[in-house]
Amino acid sequence: MVKMGRQREQMSHQRMRRLIRIAGLSLGVGLLVAGSKASAAERLVLNYGPLSRSLPISSLENLVTTGKPDSELAFYLALAKQKPDHVRQGLSQTVAIDPELLDTLLDSPVGNLLLSEMGQYVHAGSPDSTVAALRSAFRASATGDQRISLLEILQNFPLADIDIDVDQLLKAYERINRWVVRTKPLLPLVRQMTEHMHSLFSDIQ
């Protein structure tokens, strides 16, 4: 009887240890998820000429969802002489693209050039770090629904605060969109050019 009691006690301890490990694993996963969400963009500093205003990114999300700017965004758009419908269209315009294809395009010489141009209107540290953050945001935007939009890119930007030039950023993103749409049928050639460029740089190094 004593032996059976000890066995039951040992089994109970083993179950308890398993529950603790499971709880710890769940907590760890929860913290990782929370941490990844916290690293995404939360606030924007909108610049238009000499005008500047800090807004939560939820203001843009609300504009895209409802078609109406909240009071803070409406005040800024009025000062900047920007029509809400124009900004909404620029934020929500989507391009369907496979994430692997997007990777190939962004890694091409033209892709790097366009990201660098776009990075002139998104101020997030050095030019190199800004381009790297934009590349990451583009990839995160395409993952899942295989579509990209400027709003999703801003949402997935891996910094809490972004300083952007609204008018110029909309124009730069539109140029990238047009280039992606035109280049998709030429993917085999783009891949070949990209591999050739990488080979050249490797030989130089």
Side-chain angles (χ1 to χ4, degrees):
M1 294 291 291
V2 173
K3 186 176 180 181
M4 290 180 63
R6 287 177 179 173
Q7 289 177 340
R8 288 174 182 171
E9 185 177 354
Q10 288 175 349
M11 291 175 64
S12 177
H13 287 170
Q14 289 173 352
R15 289 195 192 99
M16 182 62 69
R17 283 195 294 271
R18 280 198 298 269
L19 288 173
I20 290 172
R21 284 198 296 269
I22 292 171
L25 178 61
S26 300
L27 177 60
V29 171
L31 289 173
L32 285 172
V33 172
S36 64
K37 290 181 179 178
S39 67
E42 297 172 358
R43 292 195 69 82
L44 304 170
V45 177
L46 305 181
N47 299 295
Y48 189 84
L51 304 176
S52 179
R53 191 168 185 86
S54 177
L55 296 172
I57 197 169
S58 57
S59 290
L60 299 184
E61 294 167 347
N62 178 69
L63 173 63
V64 169
T65 302
T66 67
K68 298 179 180 179
D70 58 28
S71 57
E72 285 188 282
L73 183 58
F75 178 75
Y76 169 81
L77 293 178
L79 287 176
K81 297 180 180 179
Q82 285 280 322
K83 295 181 179 180
D85 287 344
H86 171 70
V87 176
R88 183 193 187 200
Q89 182 179 1
L91 289 169
S92 59
Q93 181 182 3
T94 61
V95 173
I97 187 164
D98 178 81
E100 291 186 10
L101 169 58
L102 181 63
D103 271 348
T104 300
L105 296 179
L106 293 180
D107 285 339
S108 71
V110 178
N112 280 308
L113 184 64
L114 289 173
L115 283 177
S116 296
E117 181 193 359
M118 192 173 177
Q120 296 177 30
Y121 313 116
V122 181
H123 310 292
S126 69
D128 287 344
S129 63
T130 298
V131 168
L134 279 171
R135 192 188 306 278
S136 172
F138 266 92
R139 287 168 174 162
S141 178
T143 301
D145 62 357
Q146 298 192 358
R147 291 178 175 274
I148 57 174
S149 72
L150 182 55
L151 178 60
E152 285 185 340
I153 290 165
L154 293 175
Q155 288 170 327
N156 288 304
F157 205 83
L159 292 173
D161 301 299
I162 319 173
D163 194 327
I164 64 175
D165 183 322
V166 178
D167 188 50
Q168 294 301 321
L169 181 62
L170 288 172
K171 292 176 181 177
Y173 176 70
E174 174 128 4
R175 283 191 285 275
I176 288 181
N177 265 359
R178 289 199 301 266
W179 174 71
V180 167
V181 170
R182 288 199 304 264
T183 309
K184 283 166 67 174
L186 304 175
L187 177 58
L189 179 60
V190 172
R191 280 181 173 154
Q192 184 178 355
M193 289 175 59
T194 302
E195 291 171 0
H196 181 61
M197 291 298 294
H198 286 325
S199 176
L200 284 177
F201 284 128
S202 298
D203 291 341
I204 293 173
Q205 292 173 353

